[in-house]
Amino acid sequence: MTEYVSTTPGLFPLPDWAKDDLSDLKGHQKHDLISGDEDDAITAAYDEARDEVVGVQQDAGLDRVVEGQLRWDDMLAHPLAVNDAVATEGIVRYYDNNNFYRDPVVTDELRFSGDVAEELEAASDQTDGELQAVLPGPYSLADLATDEHYGDDAAFLGAIADYLEGELEAFPAHETLFLLEPSLVENAPDDGEDERASEAIDAVAGATDADVVVQPYWGALEEKVYAHLLDADIDAVGFDFVANQEDNVYNLQEYGATDDVSLGLADGQSTLVEDPEAIRDRVEWVFEQAPVSDFETVYLTTNTETFYLPYAKFEEKLAVLAEAADLAEVKAA
């Protein structure tokens, strides 16, 4: 019988009070990028906000709970931006939207940081077996960064994968790992590079005993990229059915899927709150299109991070995902 798991890709919006407090504490506009030097008051504010978003997920009834990545002002580039071997330079547009991050320029050999592990340790104290870790996938992280040390795209991607492996090995016990890979869609790898991207993802996935979900978004993967991704030893591939239905269905029908699947069916960027029954119906529609309908695990999630949403709408989306998963479980039974 299929298990339905409600979750998110993380990267949450800050609670409204935290935006105001952190704006005052940092002494500049609340959406400006921080220097990375956080005093005790800023750390305490982030800790309180983390506690809140973990509790909000639990209250909503989500099956997997993420740390929230509230400190990730540089979005998916954050794990590099806090590394001693990286210089954060000019402001760069975050893919094709109105958010920005500091360009992480790798100037020396990447070494262990432990920054994300520390955040997860704090969240794990509040969870009981439902913790989900979130990391940028190696291809996306390499794509968002600038290399001034390794000198070769293949070597740089390999170094990023090695770095993420080391970070991941320090994580507390977690049930699931989401590797976020929007660059596989937004800046698709060329021939040869697509195979290296799959190998890098495979290497990172091998550093955890948790179930690994690779979540691309903002569209559908090109055929060869998808086919190579299926070669990686991962548990599930994610599909953004909000941004692109036709090409995602084609990939499923033409190349099949992993035993588990992650379905981005709620819009992580729209303030329109979906109906739980509608999401359950969309799950059934996907199953009707897919060559198999007996996935072992189906993750129900937003198609993108929810950073873009007003906090109240974000809370509503969590409740919708949890209820949709429950409805799907009942119907399957």
Side-chain angles (χ1 to χ4, degrees):
M1 178 177 171
T2 300
E3 177 186 11
Y4 293 87
V5 175
S6 54
T7 189
T8 70
L11 284 164
F12 290 164
L14 279 164
D16 293 334
W17 67 263
K19 289 180 183 179
D20 295 337
D21 286 3
L22 286 165
S23 175
D24 293 339
L25 289 168
K26 294 175 184 178
H28 52 60
Q29 295 298 312
K30 56 192 171 188
H31 291 305
D32 282 356
L33 299 171
I34 65 171
S35 67
D37 298 323
E38 298 172 3
D39 62 23
D40 290 344
I42 291 176
T43 299
Y46 276 121
D47 287 346
E48 184 177 350
R50 180 194 300 113
D51 291 347
E52 179 174 326
V53 298
V54 168
V56 164
Q57 293 170 84
Q58 292 169 327
D59 291 344
L62 287 185
D63 297 304
R64 297 288 185 272
V65 172
V66 301
E67 182 270 333
Q69 295 74 50
L70 302 177
R71 288 178 55 245
W72 292 25
D73 287 328
D74 294 299
M75 308 297 284
L76 291 182
H78 172 85
L80 280 184
V82 296
N83 193 279
D84 290 340
V86 175
T88 49
E89 298 190 355
I91 301 300
V92 183
R93 184 178 295 276
Y94 183 66
Y95 296 105
D96 189 22
N97 60 37
N98 291 324
N99 294 296
F100 300 85
Y101 69 101
R102 297 169 301 169
D103 181 18
V105 180
V106 179
T107 59
D108 202 349
E109 182 179 351
L110 291 168
R111 294 181 176 85
F112 176 74
S113 162
D115 179 86
V116 179
E118 290 180 10
E119 295 176 331
L120 277 174
E121 286 284 0
S124 69
D125 293 340
Q126 295 178 255
T127 60
D128 182 20
E130 75 247 61
L131 184 65
Q132 174 178 298
V134 173
L135 277 175
Y139 180 77
S140 292
L141 190 55
D143 178 50
L144 292 171
T146 299
D147 172 35
E148 291 187 356
H149 175 71
Y150 293 95
D152 175 82
D153 288 345
F156 186 49
L157 178 60
I160 293 289
D162 290 344
Y163 171 60
L164 290 175
E165 285 181 68
E167 298 299 299
L168 183 52
E169 287 169 354
F171 284 9
H174 49 286
E175 188 72 17
T176 311
L177 169 68
F178 262 47
L179 288 176
L180 307 186
E181 282 283 15
S183 287
L184 287 177
V185 173
E186 290 288 303
N187 187 20
D190 297 327
D191 287 348
E193 191 180 20
D194 48 11
E195 186 174 1
R196 290 195 297 271
S198 177
E199 291 170 351
I201 289 168
D202 182 86
V204 176
T208 178
D209 293 329
D211 293 331
V212 177
V213 179
V214 176
Q215 191 79 20
Y217 46 94
W218 288 321
L221 297 174
E222 294 181 0
E223 289 183 58
K224 286 189 65 177
V225 175
Y226 180 70
H228 279 300
L229 183 57
L230 291 180
D231 291 334
D233 188 12
I234 57 178
D235 297 279
V237 173
F239 297 87
D240 180 352
F241 279 107
V242 174
N244 189 321
Q245 296 181 1
E246 182 178 351
D247 292 337
N248 278 316
V249 166
Y250 174 83
N251 283 339
L252 278 171
Q253 292 176 338
E254 188 72 15
Y255 298 100
T258 44
D259 291 338
D260 302 338
V261 67
S262 178
L263 304 180
L265 295 172
D267 195 332
Q269 300 180 83
S270 171
T271 56
L272 178 65
V273 179
E274 294 85 355
D275 182 80
E277 287 84 0
I279 291 181
R280 180 203 59 196
D281 292 345
R282 292 172 195 172
V283 174
E284 294 180 1
W285 177 84
V286 172
F287 283 2
E288 289 170 359
Q289 314 306 313
V292 295
S293 58
D294 56 348
F295 294 106
E296 294 178 10
T297 303
V298 174
Y299 296 91
L300 297 186
T301 181
T302 54
N303 66 318
T304 68
E305 59 259 76
T306 52
F307 170 84
Y308 318 93
L309 296 176
Y311 191 73
K313 294 294 184 180
F314 152 75
E315 292 181 290
E316 291 181 54
K317 295 269 184 176
L318 300 186
V320 165
L321 287 169
E323 186 174 349
D326 290 342
L327 290 171
E329 288 275 10
V330 169
K331 184 150 190 179

